[in-house]
Amino acid sequence: MTWLRQLLPLDSYGLAGPAFQIHGPTDIPVEALVYDSRRVTPGALFFALPGTKTEGTAFLEQALDQGARAVVAPPDTEVPPGVTLITSEQPRRLLGAIADQFYHRPSERLTLIGVTGTSGKTTTTYVLEAIGKALGWTVGVIGTVNYRYADQERPAPLTTPEAVELQALLADMVRAGVSHVIMEVSSHALAQERVWGCRWDGGVFTNLGRDHLDYHLNTAAYFAAKARLFRDGLAGSPKRSRFAVINADDTWGQKLLTESVAHPVLTYSLHQDTTVSVRHVSYSLAGIQAELQVGQDTLSTVSSLIGEPHVYNILAAVTVAHALGSPLKKVREGIAQCRRVPGRLEALSVGQPFEVFVDYAHKPDALEKTLAALRVLTAKRLITVFGCGGDRDRGKRPLMGEVAGRLSDVVVLTSDNPRTEDPYQILTETEPGLSRTGMTREEPQRVRRADVPTGSYLVIVDRRSAIRRALDEAQAGDVVVIAGKGHEDYQIIGTTRSHFDDAEEVRHYLSLRRSSGQALEGCA
């Protein structure tokens, strides 16, 4: 049993003195930590957190009716007699600290590596996981695709879980014998202090591009959130051998390097002399061959991952392994064993004479990197299918259109997750970017299949139809990239979430064409 008094010595979390005030007894048992009033059970400590739409105090009465005996709430909150009130101006930070205490400080017993940045987080964790397995680590991964450890996989409702679920997950990993945890750390999680209380060994900064401006409002605020992994998390970690790994080729990475941080910093680059750098690299649709400079040593690597963005992800993972003193022979083995990352320039084949890739790129910078990487490897035409999400940053829509139009031969503009926005309006706001590149719009019903002119685009709202039309256009030597959703297996239209998987759609349609005896040469 855990008592409230056991959870409140929080000096080591930067929460001493006036950071919180206790009104009422602390000799009460705490059975659970809850921030959703619908999940309150008798004996819960309820956190009435500030919300984007509704304040948590609006649900205080419900939480008390369901058995909460203690609550965390803003100052001046009133509670009935017999209920212990903890007031704080930093309730989310308090939640992280108390969750860490409640689950017996699990990150003390783990090597914990955080990866943050706009793009590359997921692939970096996959490559580092493969390296770790080659080194004999027992690895846990927390990220966008799933949470996985000890032969278990859990769905990932959030890239980085809320503090209670995160510390519970870390505690489960400790019990399962995990030695190293690699965690994607989102800007939302850092801004909302979900990882407060984690004891970091290392942090990785991959890059920063335009994303989440509907939440952070501007790029400076977005960067400030990412930087908190280093300024707050690593700087405040009690781990003795903590380190930071930063992409020296990224403008925002350079900015982070100029700031004072209380830990050793290692850098990686494709173009500069850094801790880990590239001496030689060659690309093909079969993968990457590279010779890396790792400290004073040379590492020759072969990877089935494709394109320059994945070189950066490999460099990030190798730099972490180097910081941990890993033998290069095992690092090489791990890189070779990471053959596929779901939805990250993932190649799909059912025997067709053209290449098809599914990629998660859903922001301008990521889409540009993906298309630029494939552009130089495409023998004939590059055909791009993409859209923009609804209820998100509207300013990026024409920017993504411009990227697609500039780097593609044919574009099929379609829906991503329109959510509660009108799908047609989203496409209308994206089209000006395509037009700026000189691309012309063709009407799908007026152009024969496999006969869309180079330098033109189609608008097909239904994503399944758009994917099929792009596959019908492709001929031998072409490359089709379907961007935006990657590993996601759903589409949100209105408030309805339905099953939809880009990779599944590609395999199904190409298999149908094969079984019907239709030649897979792009001819309808």
Side-chain angles (χ1 to χ4, degrees):
M1 180 179 293
T2 301
W3 297 85
L4 181 59
R5 65 174 184 272
Q6 296 175 291
L7 300 176
L8 295 177
L10 300 175
D11 294 18
S12 63
Y13 298 91
L15 289 167
F20 64 97
Q21 301 293 323
I22 305 168
H23 310 276
T26 59
D27 272 338
I28 57 174
V30 175
E31 303 292 342
L33 307 179
V34 183
Y35 54 87
D36 182 339
S37 60
R38 295 166 297 184
R39 299 180 181 178
V40 170
T41 54
L45 170 57
F46 176 65
F47 289 77
L49 298 176
T52 55
K53 297 181 180 178
T54 308
E55 294 300 313
T57 50
F59 305 99
L60 197 55
E61 183 177 350
Q62 179 186 2
L64 295 174
D65 287 345
Q66 292 179 199
R69 296 186 57 190
V71 299
V72 174
D76 301 326
T77 300
E78 295 185 3
V79 297
V83 175
T84 296
L85 171 66
I86 304 169
T87 60
S88 176
E89 297 285 358
Q90 300 173 309
R92 286 191 173 276
R93 190 170 293 191
L94 192 64
L95 175 62
I98 289 177
D100 182 56
Q101 291 274 69
F102 186 81
Y103 289 103
H104 310 293
R105 300 176 295 280
S107 58
E108 281 185 346
R109 297 179 291 283
L110 298 162
T111 298
L112 183 62
I113 309 297
V115 182
T116 198
T118 302
S119 302
K121 297 186 297 296
T122 298
T123 301
T124 298
T125 63
Y126 268 82
V127 176
L128 189 53
E129 176 188 25
I131 291 172
K133 288 180 177 179
L135 289 164
W137 304 348
T138 305
V139 186
V141 179
I142 299 172
T144 305
V145 175
N146 54 33
Y147 311 149
R148 55 190 185 276
Y149 63 99
D151 298 322
Q152 299 183 51
E153 284 191 5
R154 300 184 186 179
L158 297 171
T159 293
T160 312
E162 182 56 87
V164 175
E165 289 77 13
L166 173 59
Q167 297 299 336
L169 181 58
L170 293 175
D172 282 347
M173 289 182 176
V174 169
R175 285 190 289 271
V178 169
S179 61
H180 294 67
V181 173
I182 309 159
M183 186 194 311
E184 292 185 52
V185 190
S186 69
S187 60
H188 288 71
L190 288 160
Q192 295 171 10
E193 299 183 307
R194 297 179 207 162
V195 295
W196 195 268
C198 287
R199 294 158 172 81
W200 301 99
D201 291 87
V204 179
F205 181 85
T206 62
N207 51 59
L208 196 90
R210 180 178 180 131
D211 200 18
H212 302 306
L213 296 191
D214 53 304
Y215 180 83
H216 296 290
L217 301 184
N218 58 60
T219 303
Y222 179 39
F223 171 72
K226 294 288 189 184
R228 293 186 68 173
L229 176 61
F230 305 88
R231 295 171 179 161
D232 297 336
L234 274 174
S237 173
K239 299 285 185 71
R240 297 179 64 181
S241 301
R242 63 193 188 276
F243 60 89
V245 169
I246 296 174
N247 177 0
D249 289 344
D250 184 75
T251 302
W252 292 95
Q254 285 290 339
K255 178 174 173 57
L256 193 58
L257 286 169
T258 65
E259 301 186 1
S260 177
V261 287
H263 43 76
V265 177
L266 295 82
T267 55
Y268 64 92
S269 168
L270 190 58
H271 306 294
Q272 308 173 53
D273 290 330
T274 48
T275 311
V276 177
S277 58
V278 175
R279 297 179 62 178
H280 173 75
V281 62
S282 62
Y283 304 100
S284 74
L285 289 173
I288 298 163
Q289 290 186 329
E291 187 175 279
L292 309 183
Q293 188 71 38
V294 183
Q296 301 302 311
D297 299 312
T298 300
L299 173 65
S300 295
T301 65
V302 176
S303 171
S304 59
L305 303 179
I306 295 167
E308 183 178 284
H310 282 324
V311 175
Y312 276 104
N313 301 327
I314 290 169
L315 286 170
V318 170
T319 309
V320 172
H322 176 63
L324 295 171
S326 308
L328 293 186
K329 179 181 178 181
K330 293 297 182 181
V331 173
R332 181 187 299 110
E333 290 177 13
I335 293 170
Q337 289 166 7
C338 184
R339 297 182 177 89
R340 169 185 172 269
V341 180
R344 271 62 180 180
L345 265 178
E346 182 181 359
L348 305 175
S349 177
V350 294
Q352 77 278 1
F354 50 86
E355 304 294 333
V356 183
F357 295 91
V358 167
D359 192 69
Y360 192 49
H362 57 280
K363 48 229 170 193
D365 183 61
L367 185 62
E368 179 156 19
K369 289 175 180 176
T370 291
L371 296 183
L374 292 175
R375 176 76 274 171
V376 298
L377 301 176
T378 300
K380 293 189 177 178
R381 296 185 305 166
L382 179 59
I383 301 170
T384 300
V385 180
F386 86 104
C388 297
D391 300 334
R392 297 293 186 267
D393 175 18
R394 295 172 62 182
K396 73 179 183 181
R397 293 170 186 174
L399 301 179
M400 291 186 67
E402 188 168 352
V403 167
R406 176 163 44 85
L407 293 171
S408 309
D409 296 296
V410 173
V411 171
V412 183
L413 181 59
T414 190
S415 296
D416 191 285
N417 290 318
R419 300 183 177 89
T420 62
E421 282 195 68
D422 179 355
Y424 292 92
Q425 181 62 31
I426 297 172
L427 302 186
T428 297
E429 293 179 10
T430 308
E431 278 194 79
L434 286 160
S435 299
R436 282 199 295 267
T437 67
M439 275 207 156
T440 58
R441 176 170 173 169
E442 300 284 349
E443 297 305 320
Q445 67 274 18
R446 295 181 182 175
V447 182
R448 292 186 306 169
R449 292 178 182 270
D451 201 24
V452 175
T454 295
S456 61
Y457 68 95
L458 308 177
V459 177
I460 302 175
V461 175
D462 179 70
R463 192 171 181 90
R464 177 176 290 109
S465 299
I467 290 172
R468 293 186 173 195
R469 185 62 187 264
L471 296 174
D472 284 340
E473 295 305 320
Q475 302 180 44
D478 290 345
V479 171
V480 178
V481 58
I482 302 165
K485 295 179 61 59
H487 67 283
E488 292 179 352
D489 62 359
Y490 60 86
Q491 187 177 33
I492 304 172
I493 300 176
T495 57
T496 301
R497 177 175 171 139
S498 303
H499 178 79
F500 192 96
D501 183 316
D502 284 352
E504 186 179 293
E505 292 296 327
V506 170
R507 292 191 181 99
H508 176 67
Y509 187 56
L510 291 180
S511 296
L512 279 179
R513 284 175 38 168
R514 175 178 290 277
S515 63
S516 67
Q518 182 180 333
L520 294 180
E521 296 178 352
C523 298

